[in-house]
């Protein structure tokens, strides 16, 4: 039996805590987490983009804090989302590569926020397993799988009880996701509770299909090329030479809009063809070869990518305007980020995966009225593994000890703790020994400090070391050079220290150095059924 005085204490404690929660609940800030897929920081103007303008994303950065050095733990879509929800690295949350299924029974920050009195919603891209219900949300409406750029099929769960209804919408997906998010903010949410809204776009993911409003944006301009568009990888090892993600060779006719998307309806296809057919005819007539052909592909790719971002930016503007008009802005923290960075022609590439800067860095902009002074920029090392802890800290919810990041709140307040991290651990897993995998990027792990980066392609047993101050574009590994011997030894030790601290299992024997792949079977052509008479 429980002694009476213990029971009385428990009742009193609960009474005090519950009342405190109610008082706190009224004043706790709302969190609007705006998230995109594959949006590189080098295409956001407040990050110094030389190729486009993003006035609305800049509003968030300029009215709050811009993180110059936020890095993902595993540069690929699903895994990054799993890290953000769980606050744990891939080897702890179990989602290593796209195609895995997220274990929705584990502790996530939305679950804890919901438990503490927040109303939690996710609207847009989920991408953690098509048939896996998002858990920890009071409301969800998510794209099925990757989701198309037009006319998306979405799954709605209005009460967070697992009862989902399917609906196909007509229109451009970035606009539709925004309409749904605005609708939830205006009419559907419980206004007596603080909210977490995860507002997550498909854009600007491959195949970069622009919306009807932006089909002609950049038609009359030439976007500057990155200086290393024609990189020959001579300063790096096997992994850079054997990837399959070049603008020159990997892009498909559909990526390049030489073939229109399959998901357009007749009306949309007409508008699409009016925009692309004349440009495609000019391309075919020019009969480009060699570098001229690569340059054309780069222009086509980057313009479509930036057109998708223009649409994201416009729609973010709509939501920010609504926050202002409704008076919500004052007590709403707005966060902008993307699951990883992306190559915008640097090294001749598109896509992500590598620990090189362009795909390793994530944009992170945080506007927190009254707490973060406008115009702040920080170079402190931050990571997507910190997001969960940060949101919990903001809401005054204790962080579970198994989470592996750290709250960014002190950094946001300008009180950087003395023991803030000086190095960041990275690991990429999506490479299999027995089949060809997307883009063929070899498994690797590494450590980055403010100036140096050590990478180990462990199945190849090849090391690379970069001095980011002297070589910001990572063109020449200095691994093994005498003048870097000391820093190299320090980074080796730091990599092992971090792996031990994060309890990373040994994955070094996972893939043979030269895996033998089965021959790929040619895809069967779908035969059209004859219409029945
Ligand atoms: Ca992504």
């Amino acid at each position: 039996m429980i002694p009476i005085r213990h029971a009385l204490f428990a009742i009193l404690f609960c009474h005090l805590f519950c009342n405190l929660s109610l008082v706190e609940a009224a004043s706790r800030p709302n969190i609007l987490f705006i998230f995109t897929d594959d949006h590189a920081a080098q295409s956001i103007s407040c990050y110094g983009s030389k190729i486009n303008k993003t006035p609305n994303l800049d509003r968030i950065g300029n009215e709050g804090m811009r993180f110059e050095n936020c890095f993902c733990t595993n540069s690929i879509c699903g895994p990054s989302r799993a890290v953000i929800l769980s606050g744990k690295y891939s080897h702890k949350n179990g989602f290593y590569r796209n195609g895995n299924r997220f274990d929705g029974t584990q502790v996530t920050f939305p679950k804890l926020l919901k438990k503490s009195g927040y109303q939690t919603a996710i609207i847009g891209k989920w991408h953690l397993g098509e048939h896996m219900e998002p858990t920890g949300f009071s409301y969800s409406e998510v794209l099925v799988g990757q989701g198309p750029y037009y006319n998306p099929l979405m799954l709605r769960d209005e009460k967070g009880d697992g009862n989902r209804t399917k609906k196909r919408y007509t229109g451009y997906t970035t606009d539709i996701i925004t309409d749904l998010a605005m609708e939830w903010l205006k009419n559907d949410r419980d206004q007596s509770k603080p909210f977490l809204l995860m507002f997550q776009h498909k854009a600007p993911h491959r195949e970069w299909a622009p919306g009807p409003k932006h089909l002609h944006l950049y038609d009359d301009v030439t976007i500057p090329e990155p200086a290393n568009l024609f990189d020959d990888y001579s300063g790096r090892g096997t992994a850079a030479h054997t990837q399959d993600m070049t603008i020159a060779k990997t892009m498909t006719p559909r990526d390049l809009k030489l073939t229109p998307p399959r998901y357009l309806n007749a009306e949309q296809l007409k508008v699409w063809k009016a925009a692309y057919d004349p440009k495609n005819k000019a391309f075919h007539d020019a009969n480009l070869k060699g570098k001229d052909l690569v340059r054309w592909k780069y222009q086509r790719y980057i313009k479509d990518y930036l057109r998708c971002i223009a649409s994201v930016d416009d729609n973010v503007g709509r939501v920010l305007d609504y926050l202002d008009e409704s008076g919500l802005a004052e007590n709403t923290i707005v966060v902008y980020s993307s699951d990883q960075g992306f190559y915008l022609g640097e090294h001749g590439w598109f896509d992500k995966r590598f620990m090189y800067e362009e795909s390793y860095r994530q944009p992170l902009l945080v506007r927190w009225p009254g707490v973060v002074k406008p115009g702040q920029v920080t170079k402190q090392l931050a990571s997507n593994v910190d997001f969960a802890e940060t949101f919990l800290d903001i809401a005054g919810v204790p962080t579970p000890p198994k989470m592996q990041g750290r709250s960014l709140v002190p950094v946001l307040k300008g009180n950087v703790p003395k023991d803030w991290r000086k190095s960041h651990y990275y690991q990429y897993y999506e490479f299999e020994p027995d089949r060809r995998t997307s883009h063929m990027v070899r498994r690797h792990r590494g450590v980055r400090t403010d100036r140096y980066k050590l990478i180990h392609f462990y199945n190849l047993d090849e090391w690379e070391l970069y001095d980011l101050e002297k070589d910001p574009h990572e063109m020449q590994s200095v691994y093994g050079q005498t003048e870097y011997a000391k820093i190299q030894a320090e980074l080796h030790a730091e990599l092992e220290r971090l792996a031990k601290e994060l309890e990373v299992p040994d994955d070094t024997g996972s893939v043979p150095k030269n895996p033998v792949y089965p021959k790929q079977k040619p895809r069967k052509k779908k035969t059209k059924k004859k219409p029945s008479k």
Side-chain angles (χ1 to χ4, degrees):
M1 283 210 14
I2 304 166
I4 288 175
R5 65 175 189 278
H6 284 194
L8 285 173
F9 177 79
I11 293 165
L12 180 69
F13 179 84
C14 180
H15 182 71
L16 284 172
F17 182 77
C18 294
N19 282 345
L20 192 68
S21 294
L22 286 175
V23 174
E24 280 182 348
S27 59
R28 288 191 294 177
N30 305 308
I31 301 167
L32 173 62
F33 180 64
I34 310 174
F35 196 58
T36 48
D37 197 326
D38 294 356
H39 190 185
Q42 66 271 29
S43 55
I44 299 177
S45 34
C46 69
Y47 275 97
S49 170
K50 296 180 180 72
I51 54 176
N52 69 331
K53 293 267 184 284
T54 50
N56 292 299
L57 299 180
D58 294 358
R59 273 164 75 183
I60 305 170
N62 295 340
E63 292 167 14
M65 183 176 277
R66 185 175 84 235
F67 286 78
E68 293 266 285
N69 289 318
C70 181
F71 299 104
C72 58
T73 63
N74 181 0
S75 180
I76 181 85
C77 313
S80 174
R81 286 153 204 268
V83 168
I84 289 169
L85 288 170
S86 67
K88 294 187 287 196
Y89 272 74
S90 306
H91 63 275
K92 291 287 185 184
N93 68 44
F95 200 107
Y96 292 86
R97 48 167 293 165
N98 280 350
N100 285 160
R101 281 184 172 196
F102 184 65
D103 170 12
T105 64
Q106 65 190 299
V107 174
T108 62
F109 84 87
K111 281 185 186 176
L112 296 173
L113 287 186
K114 191 180 173 195
K115 207 173 164 187
S116 83
Y118 268 71
Q119 203 182 21
T120 55
I122 179 165
I123 296 174
K125 190 164 182 176
W126 166 247
H127 196 33
L128 284 169
E130 197 162 322
H131 303 289
M132 301 302 282
E133 167 80 9
T135 51
F137 294 96
S138 340
Y139 184 101
S140 68
E141 184 154 16
V142 295
L143 294 170
V144 176
Q146 278 282 357
Y149 268 99
Y150 284 74
N151 311 330
L153 182 65
M154 299 189 74
L155 285 166
R156 181 190 285 197
D157 180 349
E158 288 187 7
K159 292 178 185 159
D161 59 3
N163 289 314
R164 302 205 282 177
T165 50
K166 264 189 190 179
K167 186 175 175 182
R168 185 169 301 278
Y169 293 87
T170 303
Y172 190 56
T173 301
T174 306
D175 298 334
I176 288 164
I177 290 172
T178 310
D179 292 345
L180 295 172
M182 300 266 282
E183 180 65 23
W184 184 82
L185 280 173
K186 283 180 185 172
N187 302 321
D188 297 337
R189 72 191 167 89
D190 177 350
Q191 308 225 353
S192 70
K193 292 179 176 177
F195 68 78
L196 160 76
L197 171 58
M198 300 183 80
F199 166 41
Q200 310 202 145
H201 288 288
K202 182 223 166 58
H205 193 276
R206 189 182 186 185
E207 71 292 353
W208 322 290
K213 285 178 217 159
H214 300 103
L215 285 167
H216 294 278
L217 184 66
Y218 307 115
D219 267 2
D220 303 320
V221 296
T222 302
I223 309 285
E225 289 169 5
N228 53 5
L229 179 62
F230 295 100
D231 193 351
D232 63 2
Y233 317 117
S234 57
R236 278 128 300 154
T238 306
H241 285 87
T242 56
Q243 46 62 41
D244 178 20
M245 48 191 263
T246 62
I247 289 174
K249 290 180 183 162
T250 312
M251 286 192 166
T252 66
R254 215 170 282 281
D255 289 336
L256 295 165
K257 315 301 177 314
L258 296 169
T259 310
R262 287 195 188 96
Y263 43 69
L264 300 175
N265 65 29
E267 200 181 325
Q268 291 160 347
L269 184 63
K270 200 177 157 191
V271 176
W272 182 277
K273 285 173 77 69
Y276 283 100
D277 281 359
K279 292 183 259 193
N280 289 346
K281 184 180 182 303
F283 164 68
H284 289 302
D285 290 348
N287 195 24
L288 301 170
K289 299 268 188 281
K291 284 190 173 180
D292 288 339
L293 179 58
V294 177
R295 292 202 152 100
W296 180 87
K297 288 182 179 181
Y298 167 74
Q299 290 297 323
R300 174 57 60 93
Y301 157 55
I302 198 68
K303 286 179 183 182
D304 285 339
Y305 180 89
L306 297 178
R307 286 165 181 148
C308 292
I309 287 164
S311 181
V312 168
D313 191 72
D314 286 356
N315 278 294
V316 167
R318 284 173 62 203
V319 175
L320 294 179
D321 288 348
Y322 172 70
L323 294 182
D324 288 343
E325 290 155 14
S326 62
L328 278 170
E330 205 180 321
N331 197 33
T332 300
I333 298 171
V334 181
V335 178
Y336 181 79
S337 190
S338 188
D339 52 359
Q340 6 69 212
F342 215 65
Y343 297 96
L344 306 181
E346 300 91 353
H347 306 293
W349 294 337
F350 67 101
D351 213 70
K352 50 245 179 186
R353 298 157 201 274
F354 278 112
M355 197 196 171
Y356 302 127
E357 293 290 273
E358 292 84 356
S359 59
Y360 178 40
R361 176 174 284 108
Q362 295 177 277
L364 178 61
L365 307 170
V366 182
R367 186 179 82 173
W368 188 354
V371 176
V372 179
K373 290 177 210 140
Q376 303 296 301
V377 180
T378 181
K379 289 190 184 298
Q380 297 298 328
L381 289 176
S383 172
N384 58 347
V385 77
D386 300 329
F387 293 6
E389 289 85 334
T390 304
F391 297 143
L392 292 171
D393 194 7
I394 285 168
V397 178
T399 301
K402 284 186 176 175
M403 288 193 175
Q404 296 178 302
R406 200 164 171 183
S407 168
L408 296 167
V409 170
V411 179
L412 287 163
K413 289 183 173 172
N415 306 317
V416 181
K418 279 188 180 158
D419 63 346
W420 191 255
R421 73 164 68 84
K422 300 281 187 287
S423 63
H424 181 253
Y425 182 85
Y426 179 87
Q427 189 153 357
Y428 172 79
Y429 300 88
E430 195 174 304
F431 188 93
E432 297 299 328
D434 54 354
R435 63 190 174 101
R436 300 188 72 84
T437 46
S438 293
H439 303 295
M440 300 295 283
V441 174
R442 303 300 296 246
R443 292 188 185 197
H444 57 293
R445 60 185 198 137
V447 59
R448 189 197 193 278
T449 64
D450 60 344
R451 177 168 172 182
Y452 299 101
K453 188 188 290 178
L454 177 71
I455 309 176
H456 190 206
F457 293 94
Y458 46 90
N459 299 125
L460 299 163
D461 199 19
E462 289 182 16
W463 292 87
E464 294 180 10
L465 173 63
Y466 296 97
D467 180 342
L468 299 166
E469 198 175 284
K470 291 187 177 166
D471 180 21
H473 303 294
E474 297 161 297
M475 298 299 284
Q476 183 62 56
S477 168
V478 293
Y479 192 85
Q481 292 187 11
T482 320
E483 61 267 44
Y484 288 96
K486 187 169 171 286
I487 187 69
Q488 188 174 301
E490 285 169 12
L491 288 167
H492 270 280
E494 185 61 5
L495 183 64
E496 292 318 315
R497 187 192 71 77
L498 285 172
K500 199 173 169 192
E501 183 182 285
L502 296 165
E503 300 177 329
V504 183
D506 183 8
D507 182 44
T508 50
S510 56
V511 180
K513 187 172 180 179
N514 296 308
V516 179
Y517 302 105
K519 276 186 182 172
Q520 276 187 310
K521 287 177 188 169
R523 277 188 185 178
K524 279 183 187 173
K525 276 187 181 176
K526 280 181 185 172
T527 46
K528 277 188 182 175
K529 283 181 185 172
K530 282 179 187 173
S532 52
K533 283 174 189 171

